Amino acid sequence: MLGALACLVLLLIGTMVAMVLYTAWPSFRSNGLAWFGAGAPNQGQLDDIFNSPANPAAYQYELRAWPMIWGTLLTTAGAVAAALTISLLSAIFIVEFAPPRIKRVIEPVVRLLAAVPSVVYGLVGVLVLVPFVGNLLVSERRKAEVQYVVQLTGDSLLVAVLILTFMITPIMVAIMVDALRAVPRSWMEGSAALGVNRWRTIWKIGVRAARPAIVAGVVLATARAIGEAIMLAMVSGSWFAPNPLDGFTFLVEPTRPLAASIVFYLEGRTVPPLGQTLAAIAAVLLISSLFLSLAGWAAKQPLKRYGIV
Amino acid sequence: MDPLTPPHAAPLPPPIRRIAVDRSPTTVAAPAAATNGHGHGQPSGIVGGGRHAQRAGRAGVERMRLEDLSISYGRKLAVNRVSLPVRQGEVLALIGPSGCGKTTLLRSLNRLIELTPTASREGRIMLDDQDVDRMEVTHLRRRVTMVFQQPNPFPMSIFDNIAYGLREQGSSRPRREELEPQVIDALERAGLYGEVSENLDHPALRLSGGQQQRLCIARALAVRPEVLLLDEPASALDPRSTARIEDLLVKLRDEVAIVIVTHNLQQAFRIADHVAFMYLGELEEYAPTDQMFGAPRTQRSRDYVSGAFG
Amino acid sequence: MSVEAPNRALGDAGPTRPMESSATWPRADRVGLGLAWAAGMLLCVVAGAIVLYMLFRGLQYLSFELLVTRPEVANDQSRSGGFLDPIIGTLMLTVLGTIIAAPLGVAAAVWLSEYGRPSWLARLVESGIEVVAGTPSIVLAIFGLLIFSQPLFAFLSFTAEGNAVFGRSFLAAGAMISLIALPFVVGATREALNAIPSHVREASYALGKTKAATIRRVLLPAVRPGIGTGTALGMGRIAGDTAIPIALLGATLQLQAVDGPLGTLRGTGGTLTTYVYGNSPAGEGNAPEKAYAAAFVLLLVVVLLNFGVDLISRRRQVTSWTR
Ligand SMILES: Nc1ncnc2c1ncn2[C@@H]1O[C@H](COP(=O)(O)OP(=O)(O)O)[C@@H](O)[C@H]1O
Ligand SMILES: [Mg+2]
């Protein structure tokens, strides 16, 4: 009986994957692999899909989703890289170096950062950081330089990555702190007994032994970053594919990742081709997160050889 | 091949008397002679000859001195005003019933006890007439290294385990080729090289318990310590591995001062030159091995020692 | 209790000997240590800045009136009532989601920990729950829209002309959003179950109790704090989620009941999160003062839920953050 209940989860996932993929199929079929390619601006394409004729035979499906995919890649990679650095360092700090008094403060702090809803992050971002970037960080000259290509309003990759970093850092910190705490004392003491200082000990022994957890943390955080929709919809700006060759301007260019794009067209989902296109975007996200779980699992396997879980 | 234990190594009854006869000169008075007496059985290459001779001259030299050492955990006194010398060229065994503070005492010698936040210490510990509290703690721990009760190889390859202490010493990171002679030397001194020479890149945790413990000894030896602390290094091992480690320690004692904690009195008798008997945190008696086991001074030592041989 | 005091004594009074000092470390190690401190402080500063800023804005814009008046549709959102309805919406959605997630999560956890046979199935369910935890809520939202628009689920929402099922309602959103809380309930319950020593179970069997009775009478009461922790965490997540209410609840300003039994539950509405989103510059309302005020209330709710967790878990294990 209980087992049957537990298996509901599996049924649910199966239904979810099947249904999302089934609904998404027309969009993928019509575009082929070009779905993932670059081409016309996404805004126009999605509008065209939305304005499809009512006749199913004349449905529009054309979409070149690369700008959105690129946006997801950029925001995710930037935030995960930054968060990995910050969380690893702060986990080491918490476990090994923080004075007890600071330790007692920092635990609730991490939990608080994890608990703040994404819409609150988005609100602070859009009302504080975006104007800051748009008015103070980006000079009028820089805006003028690119005004025929893209409007630099402050809605930007930079703000998106910045906030996303602090949204996913706590997840990683929590996992890494647990893992570093779980490193057998005998290893840490064994290292100390060889005259290795505390920094090297935690870095070479602790972090090394905690690698599976670090991988798990990165996987979870990546999943969170890829799927974050609301906050990014609020601060990242309109459809554009920021170009790393633009130097600093690259950072303040707007972008609209996959998940955020869904939010903007949710109301149009009753138009069948748009609904199917949204399902296609959701399918890409869903498959990515499935692959992430798999990758996280696979990444842990070689470590078993050395006796780390 | 093995001068102390016959190859078939039947541990019970231990060949105490025979060894005692063998090793009767092995007291503080003439450590050099004792080693020479055993030297014929050594496989060549375990100890470099030059090194051996050079250390032999300094044998019996006092390296560490504990003065009125007291250690407590919070309010609980674990070691109470202990004074002891630690000499190079001999093995010092700490014995006593469990909970009497042996581990605590040992861990204080290289200030490892400071990793336990509740522990506090009074009294002085001198290393070569220098107060260990004045020394930089990582330097101290490199000179006075420790091997633990449970073998604790790091989750890395055998090579990396041994090289670890060498690599993480300073700011420069030596390359593998530079480290290889030192790693091999350490493994040889710990009598492990023959068994693992083919698979230095295998995970250390795949080794057997006895091999792991010898790996830990090799790891400690690799940093060229002057004092080697061992906390019941053989308590988790089978008799065969135990014998190997005992043999090893006897061979090493000229190069490094050895302090070994053991709850196995026969073991203390077999390998120690001096024995310190602790009871409830106090040093009950400190005496040459033969005297401790032959004619202990205090009633308690007598009871405790006779319990083992009774 | 014995762990805390000496810690403090060591940190404050200073031991007779200095701890290992970083002054003699190689430069790279000292840089690393400095960065670790910086990272820790950065987290504190960011959290402090967010909390203080929201507190400032909240106190600035929040009024009692906003809490108790209903929102109205108006062109000028700055004079269109408060956010009573979103508050009720958040409450309803959270309760609904929890009612679904808690029993399911506990059942799954009990099955995984106490039965778990066949083991391949248990492993599969375990990874299934991980997959659910890793699925973005916007994907769950899309899935919800797809599935609840099926005629099969017509009873959950209202049916428009031409038999098109609307698929948006509190029931639909509640069902989907419960998936967000589920992994938290399962995780915390399992952890608590695994912490019960096996002799407790054996003692119960020795008294002749069946496995089912043991679970009901012995284990479940013992893991109640664990269930509480997981549920509170899950509630915090539900209250803070935006994507699912936007997609599945309609994100309307007011609660709109449909005719018939359970009209409100089958109707649409909004939550604090959708209200904040809608009134932010990114949404349609663009009334930042109200967005701030509502966000402040939301933050308060979420922090209180997490604080509750703190209280529960602190009672359970005092030394969780000390080695
Ligand atoms: N970390 C600790 N905290 C509190 N008390 C301890 C700690 N370690 C050891 N003790 C106590 O100190 C005494 C000596 O312990 P130990 O040195 O481990 O004894 P031995 O190694 O001789 O068995 C024991 O009574 C033990 O309970
Ligand atoms: Mg001990």
Side-chain angles (χ1 to χ4, degrees):
Chain A
M1 219 292 282
L2 280 177
L5 265 180
C7 293
L8 260 181
V9 175
L10 299 178
L11 179 72
L12 190 99
I13 294 170
T15 319
M16 177 160 72
V17 174
M19 215 157 163
V20 171
L21 283 182
Y22 174 78
T23 314
W25 181 240
S27 174
F28 287 131
R29 190 191 49 201
S30 159
N31 287 288
L33 275 182
W35 196 96
F36 299 92
N42 288 148
Q43 172 105 50
Q45 291 176 331
L46 288 167
D47 283 345
D48 287 348
I49 295 172
F50 179 65
N51 294 323
S52 286
N55 170 14
Y59 280 169
Q60 287 292 312
Y61 283 111
E62 187 174 324
L63 181 67
R64 303 285 177 267
W66 177 249
M68 296 188 274
I69 298 172
W70 179 233
T72 296
L73 290 178
L74 280 181
T75 47
T76 304
V80 169
L84 178 61
T85 317
I86 296 176
S87 56
L88 192 54
L89 286 168
S90 39
I92 289 176
F93 174 70
I94 292 169
V95 170
E96 195 65 28
F97 297 106
R101 217 180 302 171
I102 296 182
K103 220 183 270 190
R104 247 168 292 159
V105 175
I106 210 166
E107 174 196 17
V109 156
V110 170
R111 194 182 291 167
L112 182 87
L113 281 174
V116 173
S118 59
V119 75
V120 174
Y121 277 114
L123 188 72
V124 173
V126 76
L127 289 176
V128 180
L129 293 180
V130 165
F132 172 77
V133 170
N135 300 335
L136 295 173
L137 219 53
V138 184
S139 63
E140 290 304 320
R141 222 185 86 234
R142 197 181 290 273
K143 284 183 193 164
E145 266 171 23
V146 294
Q147 64 177 330
Y148 300 110
V149 188
V150 60
Q151 305 292 319
L152 301 183
T153 57
D155 291 322
S156 58
L157 184 60
L158 179 67
V159 176
V161 167
L162 203 67
I163 301 183
L164 201 50
T165 300
F166 285 100
M167 290 177 67
I168 61 178
T169 297
I171 306 174
M172 293 207 221
V173 173
I175 292 178
M176 288 182 199
V177 164
D178 278 353
L180 287 179
R181 291 244 158 86
V183 173
R185 285 207 72 133
S186 64
W187 286 346
M188 308 289 281
E189 291 191 344
S191 170
L194 293 171
V196 175
N197 67 38
R198 287 211 289 164
W199 176 262
R200 294 278 179 97
T201 296
I202 186 92
W203 189 252
K204 298 283 168 165
I205 302 292
V207 172
R208 191 186 166 91
R211 274 181 306 177
I214 295 175
V215 170
V218 167
V219 166
L220 270 182
T222 309
R224 179 85 195 272
I226 286 181
E228 179 52 46
I230 297 300
M231 186 282 288
L232 290 177
M234 290 168 86
V235 305
S236 73
S238 53
W239 280 280
F240 185 77
N243 184 351
L245 300 179
D246 291 349
F248 175 75
T249 310
F250 162 66
L251 289 179
V252 291
E253 281 167 353
T255 181
R256 187 166 288 175
L258 291 164
S261 302
I262 296 179
V263 177
F264 283 94
Y265 276 89
L266 262 182
E267 288 311 308
R269 53 125 200 156
T270 41
V271 177
L274 187 62
Q276 287 156 347
T277 304
L278 294 186
I281 300 178
V284 173
L285 295 174
L286 180 59
I287 301 295
S288 315
S289 55
L290 286 177
F291 264 107
L292 270 175
S293 313
L294 204 65
W297 178 82
K300 286 183 216 165
Q301 296 313 303
L303 298 174
K304 287 200 173 138
R305 199 170 110 89
Y306 287 98
I308 309 173
V309 172
Chain B
M1 156 205 144
D2 187 328
L4 290 181
T5 327
H8 45 274
L12 284 176
I16 301 159
R17 293 303 163 202
R18 187 179 67 78
I19 295 170
V21 173
D22 266 5
R23 298 196 45 222
S24 49
T26 322
T27 40
V28 212
T35 342
N36 291 344
H38 289 288
H40 61 83
Q42 286 180 0
S44 60
I46 288 209
V47 179
R51 198 180 166 71
H52 196 236
Q54 177 207 343
R55 295 282 174 146
R58 281 203 283 148
V61 177
E62 180 177 293
R63 299 307 301 271
M64 295 193 86
R65 200 168 66 247
L66 284 60
E67 295 171 2
D68 271 345
L69 182 72
S70 298
I71 298 157
S72 42
Y73 295 103
R75 294 242 173 73
K76 185 183 186 316
L77 196 61
V79 172
N80 190 13
R81 309 196 53 152
V82 170
S83 300
L84 263 182
V86 176
R87 298 200 188 89
Q88 180 157 354
E90 63 171 45
V91 173
L92 168 65
L94 294 178
I95 60 171
S98 76
C100 70
K102 304 183 295 292
T103 300
T104 306
L105 178 78
L106 199 69
R107 284 164 60 90
S108 68
L109 288 183
N110 64 355
R111 293 173 57 188
L112 215 54
I113 195 80
E114 288 167 24
L115 296 184
T116 309
T118 51
S120 61
R121 199 191 89 205
E122 272 163 51
R124 286 207 301 175
I125 301 174
M126 311 297 285
L127 172 62
D128 287 344
D129 292 326
Q130 199 186 354
D131 192 331
V132 296
D133 292 339
R134 300 262 169 72
M135 297 172 64
E136 210 281 306
V137 70
T138 57
H139 288 164
L140 169 68
R141 289 181 188 152
R142 227 167 287 145
R143 293 173 65 184
V144 185
T145 62
M146 179 154 175
V147 173
F148 298 82
Q149 184 166 2
Q150 291 292 331
N152 58 349
F154 301 135
M156 345 168 152
S157 71
I158 294 172
F159 185 94
D160 289 340
N161 259 280
I162 310 290
Y164 178 79
L166 300 168
R167 279 190 178 134
E168 309 305 338
Q169 276 185 9
S171 15
S172 68
R173 293 184 62 79
R175 284 199 322 276
R176 183 176 168 125
E177 302 87 77
E178 297 170 42
L179 291 172
E180 204 155 304
Q182 301 179 63
V183 169
I184 292 175
D185 178 55
L187 282 169
E188 273 174 349
R189 291 209 286 156
L192 189 62
Y193 187 64
E195 292 156 63
V196 300
S197 59
E198 293 302 307
N199 27 21
L200 288 180
D201 288 322
H202 282 210
L205 290 165
R206 292 266 180 84
L207 297 173
S208 74
Q211 287 175 324
Q212 287 191 7
Q213 193 61 296
R214 275 181 290 144
L215 180 81
C216 292
I217 294 176
R219 190 173 71 187
L221 291 176
V223 297
R224 299 258 153 211
E226 296 157 40
V227 181
L228 182 62
L229 312 174
L230 301 108
D231 188 3
E232 304 191 22
S235 70
L237 305 183
D238 60 290
R240 172 112 220 172
S241 309
T242 306
R244 296 206 59 157
I245 286 180
E246 287 177 10
D247 184 25
L248 178 66
L249 294 179
V250 172
K251 283 172 191 157
L252 284 170
R253 72 181 159 188
D254 288 314
E255 307 172 56
V256 288
I258 291 177
V259 184
I260 179 170
V261 166
T262 177
H263 57 195
N264 179 340
L265 294 174
Q266 282 120 338
Q267 183 173 60
F269 188 74
R270 283 194 296 265
I271 64 175
D273 303 292
H274 268 85
V275 175
F277 170 53
M278 290 183 68
Y279 190 81
L280 291 180
E282 315 229 358
L283 179 65
E284 187 75 19
E285 180 165 351
Y286 169 74
T289 307
D290 288 343
Q291 185 183 327
M292 175 66 85
F293 289 107
R297 262 178 291 129
T298 72
Q299 183 59 40
R300 264 208 204 100
S301 335
R302 205 167 302 136
D303 291 347
Y304 188 69
V305 169
S306 66
F309 297 97
Chain C
M1 37 121 220
S2 64
V3 187
E4 290 270 85
N7 254 351
R8 200 178 306 131
L10 200 78
D12 293 358
T16 44
R17 278 163 313 286
M19 293 284 285
E20 177 184 336
S21 130
S22 58
T24 54
W25 292 0
R27 175 198 291 265
D29 299 5
R30 272 179 292 150
V31 170
L33 179 64
L35 289 176
W37 268 90
M41 293 299 108
L42 179 67
L43 290 186
C44 294
V45 168
V46 169
I50 291 176
V51 167
L52 288 181
Y53 184 75
M54 288 310 295
L55 193 67
F56 169 64
R57 290 300 189 193
L59 294 180
Q60 185 180 7
Y61 296 125
L62 187 63
S63 65
F64 181 68
E65 216 178 306
L66 280 179
L67 290 175
V68 293
T69 44
R70 304 189 59 183
E72 284 153 30
V73 182
N75 280 337
D76 184 0
Q77 268 298 321
S78 52
R79 53 179 77 220
S80 58
F83 39 85
L84 177 63
D85 285 31
I87 291 178
I88 297 174
T90 291
L91 278 179
M92 277 169 51
L93 195 61
T94 309
V95 170
L96 264 176
T98 313
I99 287 179
I100 301 171
L104 272 181
V106 172
V110 167
W111 181 73
L112 281 172
S113 291
E114 302 301 316
Y115 297 89
R117 306 253 160 233
S119 58
W120 60 266
L121 188 62
R123 270 211 301 280
L124 211 60
V125 170
E126 236 179 305
S127 3
I129 290 167
E130 266 175 44
V131 167
V132 169
T135 306
S137 70
I138 189 78
V139 174
L140 291 178
I142 292 286
F143 171 53
L145 281 175
L146 294 178
I147 194 161
F148 292 125
S149 316
Q150 301 298 316
L152 177 64
F153 292 105
F155 66 94
L156 287 179
S157 57
F158 73 87
T159 309
E161 294 150 42
N163 279 337
V165 178
F166 192 53
R168 292 176 152 181
S169 72
F170 272 101
L171 289 173
M176 221 12 95
I177 214 164
S178 68
L179 291 179
I180 291 186
L182 189 71
F184 288 93
V185 180
V186 176
T189 310
R190 284 198 71 189
E191 203 176 295
L193 277 174
N194 294 345
I196 299 179
S198 59
H199 66 76
V200 173
R201 296 176 179 83
E202 279 149 21
S204 172
Y205 297 148
L207 291 176
K209 285 194 181 166
T210 61
K211 187 155 193 168
T214 303
I215 290 172
R216 213 168 333 113
R217 299 267 159 70
V218 182
L219 299 186
L220 282 186
V223 298
R224 214 177 291 149
I227 299 176
T229 308
T231 309
L233 279 176
M235 287 169 91
R237 282 316 134 101
I238 292 181
D241 188 73
T242 319
I244 290 178
I246 281 195
L248 285 171
L249 204 52
T252 53
L253 275 174
Q254 299 190 339
L255 304 180
Q256 285 161 352
V258 300
D259 297 335
L262 295 178
T264 317
L265 289 181
R266 289 169 60 227
T268 58
T271 61
L272 282 170
T273 52
T274 65
Y275 185 85
V276 171
Y277 179 70
N279 279 320
S280 78
E284 289 138 16
N286 203 0
E289 307 84 36
K290 286 193 183 165
Y292 272 133
F296 177 67
V297 176
L298 176 64
L299 195 60
L300 219 57
V301 170
V302 170
V303 166
L304 276 183
L305 280 172
N306 276 267
F307 190 63
V309 176
D310 222 27
L311 284 183
I312 295 173
S313 54
R314 184 161 296 169
R315 213 180 325 147
R316 220 164 23 128
Q317 39 169 201
V318 187
T319 55
S320 70
W321 278 68
T322 38
R323 280 243 239 195

